[in-house]
């Protein structure tokens, strides 16, 4: 039995050229450059919506506190009064939240004022930048 042989000791393997690989990498880079900003802008929107939902839940818990006690907790008592009975509150019937008061989506505590500047009570977050005012992701988010 005879083994066929070619003129070269190794058969020529077919593969991709460097130019073809570079074209594919450029196309992937362009796609990533188009998709990534849209994806990250959606994350910012979801953080704002999460903050709005949490503020709404805190507002409802505060309303239940007011129904039971006849008033909202003082600014000094803060939102902690929703989970722990204040020393001077005889008609407290909480806890009014199943879990501890959450931080805002950016890891900072929610702000609480009674009386509020925008209503009876103000519950708000300073947003991504953590400072009063701002615009875009850094804008304040509140119950007003």
């Amino acid at each position: 039995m005879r083994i066929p042989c070619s003129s070269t000791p190794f058969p020529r393997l077919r593969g991709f050229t460097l130019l073809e690989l570079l074209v594919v990498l450029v196309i992937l880079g362009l796609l990533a450059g188009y998709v990534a900003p849209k994806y990250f802008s959606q994350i910012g929107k979801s953080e704002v919506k999460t903050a709005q939902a949490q503020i709404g839940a805190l507002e409802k818990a505060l309303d239940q506190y007011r129904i039971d006690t006849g008033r909202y907790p003082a600014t000094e008592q803060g939102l902690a009064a929703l989970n722990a009975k204040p020393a001077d509150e005889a008609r407290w019937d909480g806890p009014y939240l199943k879990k501890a008061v959450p931080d805002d989506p950016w890891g900072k505590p929610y702000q609480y004022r009674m009386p509020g500047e925008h209503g009876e009570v103000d519950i708000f977050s300073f947003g991504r930048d953590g400072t009063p005012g701002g615009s875009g992701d850094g804008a304040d988010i509140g119950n007003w």
Side-chain angles (χ1 to χ4, degrees):
M1 176 157 130
R2 215 169 154 198
I3 300 174
C5 66
S6 65
S7 60
T8 60
F10 299 104
R12 184 168 175 110
L13 299 175
R14 304 265 321 152
F16 295 107
T17 65
L18 181 59
L19 182 61
E20 291 170 329
L21 291 174
L22 288 174
V23 168
V24 169
L25 288 174
V26 167
I27 291 171
L28 289 174
L30 289 172
L31 286 173
Y34 178 73
V35 172
K38 295 193 178 294
Y39 173 74
F40 288 113
S41 71
Q42 293 300 319
I43 291 174
K45 288 179 186 175
S46 68
E47 289 171 333
V48 170
K49 288 184 179 185
T50 299
Q52 290 170 337
Q54 287 177 335
I55 288 170
L58 291 171
E59 193 170 27
K60 288 177 181 158
L62 284 167
D63 288 342
Q64 187 61 46
Y65 180 100
R66 181 179 181 211
I67 289 170
D68 289 347
T69 64
R71 61 184 177 87
Y72 289 112
T75 301
E76 298 77 31
Q77 293 170 321
L79 296 172
L82 296 173
N83 282 334
K85 180 179 180 181
D88 61 342
E89 196 58 67
R91 298 184 330 184
W92 189 86
D93 193 28
Y96 298 96
L97 296 172
K98 291 181 180 179
K99 298 179 181 178
V101 177
D103 286 339
D104 69 13
W106 301 279
K108 297 174 182 75
Y110 283 104
Q111 306 296 310
Y112 171 74
R113 288 193 191 129
M114 201 308 268
E117 296 175 13
H118 303 279
E120 286 187 81
V121 294
D122 287 349
I123 311 164
F124 57 98
S125 165
F126 289 128
R128 179 178 296 285
D129 63 3
T131 59
S135 62
D137 285 348
D140 296 350
I141 303 160
N143 63 332
W144 52 85

